[in-house]
Amino acid sequence: MDEDEARVRLLDAAERLFYRRGIQAVGMDELRAAAGVSLKRLYQCFGSKQELVEAYLRRRDGRWRAALFAYVDEHSATPEDRPLAVFDWLHAWCADPDFRGCAFINSFGELGAVSDGVAQAARDHKQAVHEHILDLTRALCVTDPVALAAQLLLLVDGAITTAAISGDPEAARHARHAAQILIAAATVPSGAVRS
Amino acid sequence: MDEDEARVRLLDAAERLFYRRGIQAVGMDELRAAAGVSLKRLYQCFGSKQELVEAYLRRRDGRWRAALFAYVDEHSATPEDRPLAVFDWLHAWCADPDFRGCAFINSFGELGAVSDGVAQAARDHKQAVHEHILDLTRALCVTDPVALAAQLLLLVDGAITTAAISGDPEAARHARHAAQILIAAATVPSGAVRS
DNA sequence: TTCCGCAGAGAACGCCCGTTCTCTAGACTA
DNA sequence: TAGTCTAGAGAACGGGCGTTCTCTGCGGAA
């Protein structure tokens, strides 16, 4: 087996297991078995569990944002639709049976105090999402796109954690509705006001 | 030493250590040392670590809500002030140097998938906070206090997690501002509209 | 064919953790 | 005072984990 393929299989297994059960609950041997890779190969690809965890988080960050903003691009006709499409995607995600909250919030809660790498990965992820949302609010006719983006980000994180703990994806619907109101309130009046 | 005092000292140590570093990162022996209690006594008070963890979460739930809503009672003159006072308290909490996010979100991320007791404690906590906030919105002249409470709860959780990961308590300020807008939008127009 | 190198399987190692057990010393009772 | 009971200190135990090591067998080069 190729080393590149081993890396992919390990990261796939890591994403599945770490996200579902938590990082410390999954041992390297279980991971190795799930990936169908020898322990020797595992430590050739990733020098330590710490390294594998950070690689998992970095890859998940990229994929998660790509999936979200691909959806936003595809499902919104106007700049006004785009922030709301974020919450539509969130609702679908939260309704997924495998959904178990935000991988970064979870791993930050589990290891953020103990591992700088994990804490930094969580910060980087949230920062990157923040900048994406800022791009969306900057495309609107609003008085303060920075403040609006900060507010929408709160709704995103709130919806994800609330849906995770309660098990009810409706949180994303509530967040969408709140976002609608906040966007309307921030929009500079240049015609009819949407309800 | 009294058994009751041992319980208190153990729960105090548990709260300090589990919250700061995470549950699995703190061993029973370190906890025993921090509490100044013998291992034998520890296992007399709590039959297992699981039991101690759940007791820690239950006690923290009660204390956290009591502190929050005592502040709300004290720092708000009118029913309209009360929801906003929630976010003032949150801001002060998030600015505390020991702040490390929501103990329930953190422990849910760490152990929620593996321990039913932890997951249930997190659900119970969020449910209880939800009901408190519902009491606040029901005291307002709003069209749909249930929907508004759900929205405010998203802002609460979003502010806590964002402040925890970014390390910046300003998230609570943004949440307060968003709450103001959402409350205004939900208020039935019966006079002057507040800015 | 023979030799070399590498990959896989899994045993081994050292450490840590949750939990239990043992030993000792002191306090209380008759 | 003698006997008993209890609490504390910490050793011990069993198991799991991250990581490394060993052994075996196969594939390719000379």
Side-chain angles (χ1 to χ4, degrees):
Chain A
M1 184 197 307
D2 195 345
E3 173 157 337
D4 283 349
E5 195 197 328
R7 281 186 71 92
V8 170
R9 292 170 74 162
L10 285 164
L11 286 171
D12 287 346
E15 184 148 4
R16 206 169 348 111
L17 295 175
F18 286 159
Y19 178 67
R20 188 188 310 259
R21 304 224 310 270
I23 292 170
Q24 295 177 90
V26 177
M28 291 298 260
D29 196 66
E30 179 178 2
L31 221 135
R32 174 210 67 77
V37 158
S38 75
L39 218 45
K40 187 180 208 169
R41 180 76 92 179
L42 195 170
Y43 279 95
Q44 275 172 4
C45 294
F46 304 96
S48 67
K49 186 174 186 178
Q50 170 86 358
E51 219 175 275
L52 174 57
V53 167
E54 290 174 25
Y56 144 63
L57 289 173
R58 276 194 300 274
R59 196 185 71 158
R60 186 174 174 98
D61 171 40
R63 292 180 156 196
W64 190 89
R65 287 186 287 121
L68 167 54
F69 291 99
Y71 178 95
V72 169
D73 285 344
E74 199 171 340
H75 290 78
S76 45
T78 68
E80 285 71 31
D81 295 338
R82 292 167 67 79
L84 296 179
V86 168
F87 295 93
D88 291 333
W89 185 84
L90 281 185
H91 183 265
W93 179 42
C94 293
D96 187 295
D98 292 336
F99 172 74
R100 218 182 71 77
C102 172
F104 299 88
I105 294 173
N106 290 350
S107 50
F108 183 87
E110 183 174 357
L111 294 169
V114 148
S115 159
D116 285 343
V118 168
Q120 191 58 50
R123 272 193 293 273
D124 291 347
H125 169 73
K126 292 302 176 195
Q127 181 63 29
V129 174
H130 182 90
E131 276 159 21
H132 270 113
I133 292 183
L134 199 51
D135 289 343
L136 301 187
T137 60
R138 283 221 168 95
L140 304 177
C141 291
V142 295
T143 54
D144 190 346
V146 173
L148 180 60
Q151 295 173 354
L152 296 183
L153 196 66
L154 296 180
L155 291 175
V156 168
D157 280 346
I160 295 171
T161 57
T162 300
I165 291 181
S166 72
D168 182 0
E170 275 317 283
R173 290 262 118 95
H174 291 126
R176 189 195 140 104
H177 190 209
Q180 236 169 342
I181 295 168
L182 293 174
I183 292 167
T187 299
V188 299
S190 70
V193 176
R194 33 171 77 216
S195 67
Chain B
M1 186 196 307
D2 195 346
E3 174 158 338
D4 284 350
E5 196 198 325
R7 282 185 71 92
V8 170
R9 292 171 73 163
L10 285 165
L11 286 170
D12 287 346
E15 184 147 4
R16 208 169 347 111
L17 295 174
F18 286 159
Y19 178 68
R20 188 189 309 257
R21 305 224 311 270
I23 292 169
Q24 294 177 91
V26 177
M28 291 299 257
D29 196 65
E30 179 179 3
L31 220 135
R32 174 211 66 77
V37 157
S38 75
L39 216 46
K40 187 180 209 170
R41 181 75 93 179
L42 194 169
Y43 279 94
Q44 274 172 4
C45 294
F46 304 97
S48 65
K49 186 175 187 179
Q50 170 86 359
E51 222 175 273
L52 174 57
V53 167
E54 290 175 24
Y56 144 63
L57 290 173
R58 276 194 299 273
R59 197 185 70 158
R60 186 174 174 97
D61 172 39
R63 292 180 156 198
W64 190 89
R65 288 187 286 119
L68 167 54
F69 291 100
Y71 178 95
V72 169
D73 284 343
E74 201 172 339
H75 290 78
S76 46
T78 69
E80 284 71 31
D81 295 338
R82 293 167 66 79
L84 296 178
V86 168
F87 294 94
D88 292 332
W89 185 85
L90 281 184
H91 182 265
W93 180 42
C94 293
D96 187 295
D98 292 335
F99 172 74
R100 218 181 72 78
C102 172
F104 299 88
I105 293 172
N106 290 350
S107 50
F108 183 86
E110 183 174 357
L111 294 168
V114 147
S115 158
D116 285 343
V118 169
Q120 191 59 48
R123 273 193 292 274
D124 291 346
H125 169 73
K126 293 301 176 194
Q127 180 63 29
V129 174
H130 182 89
E131 276 159 23
H132 271 113
I133 291 183
L134 198 51
D135 289 343
L136 301 187
T137 60
R138 284 221 167 96
L140 304 178
C141 291
V142 296
T143 54
D144 189 347
V146 174
L148 180 59
Q151 294 172 355
L152 296 183
L153 196 66
L154 297 180
L155 291 175
V156 169
D157 281 346
I160 295 171
T161 58
T162 300
I165 291 180
S166 72
D168 182 0
E170 275 317 284
R173 290 262 116 95
H174 292 126
R176 189 195 140 102
H177 190 210
Q180 237 169 341
I181 295 168
L182 293 174
I183 293 168
T187 299
V188 299
S190 69
V193 176
R194 31 172 77 216
S195 67

